[in-house]
Amino acid sequence: MTWLKDIIGTEKAIIAMCHLLPLPGDPYFNKEKGMDYVVEMARKDLKALQDGGVDAVMFSNEFSLPYLTEVKTETVAAMARIIGELMGDIRVPFGVNVLWDAKKSLDLAAATGAKFVREIFTGVYASDFGTWNTNVGDTIRHQYRIGAEDVKLLFNIVPEAAKYLADRDIESIAKSTVFNNRPDALCVSGLTAGSQTDTEILSRVKDIVPETIVLANTGVRLSNLEEQLSIADGAVVGTTFKYDGKFENHVDVTRVKEFMDKVKNFRNNLIL
């Protein structure tokens, strides 16, 4: 039994993204509607996800575009307020992701009681946001310093909109990441949110680290979920749950139910 079963309640778990609207300090924050509107839209999406039957949710500042690699305090404060106001509505295990800042993600998890975080913890990348460096040793020490040592760490090793600077194949990256850092899971992504995770890359990662949880991080949809979940141990799902399957839209509970019904049928046919 993996920690997915222990914490989320099932293997082949579906972690649904609850994308937060732009926040104070973000270029596209709606100052007229303010934070009350952001909270209510998050509540609406959370309800649709939970009513649709997802296994867990992950709150992220997905619309804080363009992203920072050193996130400002006001962003974390706003996210903490939102999650705090939604706490009475949350019925499933939840995690957080402060894009793209591993330490701030852990700070938010410690403050809200989140069970897991997803971030870029290792590597150096050329990205749409400039040269992107990490310091995993410092980040993990920060995790223990703030009392968040029980928070599960989902390492995104194929970050969206970025390329590893070193000339290394995905097997080498996955194997050394597991050896050096003991991640709780590896996330394998497509180019952007909603882009399908390459099945071949997903398979290569799982084959090289079979004892580590590997998650399909983007682009899992109704048409490919069986193929993806046949390889991956679970999936992080966002865009496909939205009206018309479009990133910028809100969550459509009908799409969530249809997807989760198929997932449950798939799981029922497996020996978990």
Side-chain angles (χ1 to χ4, degrees):
M1 183 177 72
T2 71
W3 67 261
L4 291 175
K5 175 71 172 177
D6 185 44
I7 290 177
I8 295 180
T10 183
E11 307 291 1
K12 301 293 182 179
I14 302 300
I15 300 171
M17 297 304 301
C18 188
H19 292 161
L20 305 179
L21 293 177
L23 305 170
D26 293 337
Y28 306 109
F29 174 62
N30 190 323
K31 294 179 182 178
E32 292 184 4
K33 292 184 176 179
M35 274 293 291
D36 287 345
Y37 179 73
V38 177
V39 172
E40 288 314 304
M41 291 304 99
R43 193 186 310 277
K44 177 181 176 181
D45 280 352
L46 174 65
K47 184 178 188 305
L49 291 169
Q50 293 184 141
D51 288 351
V54 302
D55 303 311
V57 296
M58 180 154 52
F59 298 95
S60 76
N61 57 323
E62 206 78 18
F63 291 103
S64 292
L65 293 161
Y67 300 130
L68 295 167
T69 54
E70 293 184 11
V71 172
K72 306 298 183 185
T73 303
E74 59 265 26
T75 300
V76 185
M79 294 180 73
R81 174 191 165 179
I82 294 164
I83 296 169
E85 291 203 31
L86 296 180
M87 200 64 74
D89 300 292
I90 300 173
R91 307 193 304 269
V92 296
F94 75 92
V96 296
N97 183 193
V98 182
L99 297 162
W100 287 100
D101 191 321
K103 285 185 178 178
K104 294 294 196 307
S105 295
L106 285 164
D107 291 340
L108 183 60
T112 60
K115 298 296 186 182
F116 53 89
V117 300
R118 177 190 63 178
E119 252 308 331
I120 308 299
F121 291 98
T122 60
V124 183
Y125 305 87
S127 78
D128 288 352
F129 317 111
T131 304
W132 184 351
N133 200 358
T134 60
N135 187 337
V136 64
D138 188 48
T139 299
I140 301 304
R141 283 165 177 78
H142 178 74
Q143 177 190 17
Y144 278 74
R145 190 162 55 248
I146 64 173
E149 59 269 23
D150 292 333
V151 175
K152 300 299 183 184
L153 305 184
L154 282 52
F155 281 51
N156 191 345
I157 60 167
V158 187
E160 302 153 42
K163 182 182 173 87
Y164 211 97
L165 276 181
D167 185 17
R168 302 178 66 200
D169 58 40
I170 192 62
E171 289 92 343
S172 297
I173 294 169
K175 193 167 185 178
S176 66
T177 298
V178 169
F179 180 84
N180 288 315
N181 306 297
R182 302 179 182 179
D184 296 298
L186 298 181
C187 296
V188 183
S189 309
L191 179 63
T192 62
S195 298
Q196 181 174 329
T197 302
D198 188 301
T199 305
E200 180 189 355
I201 294 176
L202 193 61
S203 182
R204 286 162 59 192
V205 171
K206 187 60 186 175
D207 286 346
I208 200 69
V209 288
E211 301 304 315
T212 300
I213 292 171
V214 174
L215 303 175
N217 194 46
T218 62
V220 179
R221 53 183 66 94
L222 203 62
S223 61
N224 68 17
L225 73 84
E226 291 178 338
E227 179 185 29
Q228 297 272 293
L229 289 179
S230 293
I231 303 167
D233 299 295
V236 180
V237 182
T239 300
T240 200
F241 287 154
K242 298 187 176 187
Y243 284 97
D244 301 322
K246 292 184 177 180
F247 172 74
E248 62 272 15
N249 291 345
H250 285 288
V251 175
D252 178 354
V253 67
T254 301
R255 291 178 68 96
V256 180
K257 286 180 178 177
E258 186 178 16
F259 184 97
M260 290 306 302
D261 283 346
K262 191 169 183 178
V263 169
K264 289 167 187 174
N265 286 335
F266 175 80
R267 289 196 295 229
N268 287 337
N269 292 325
L270 296 176
I271 301 175
L272 295 180

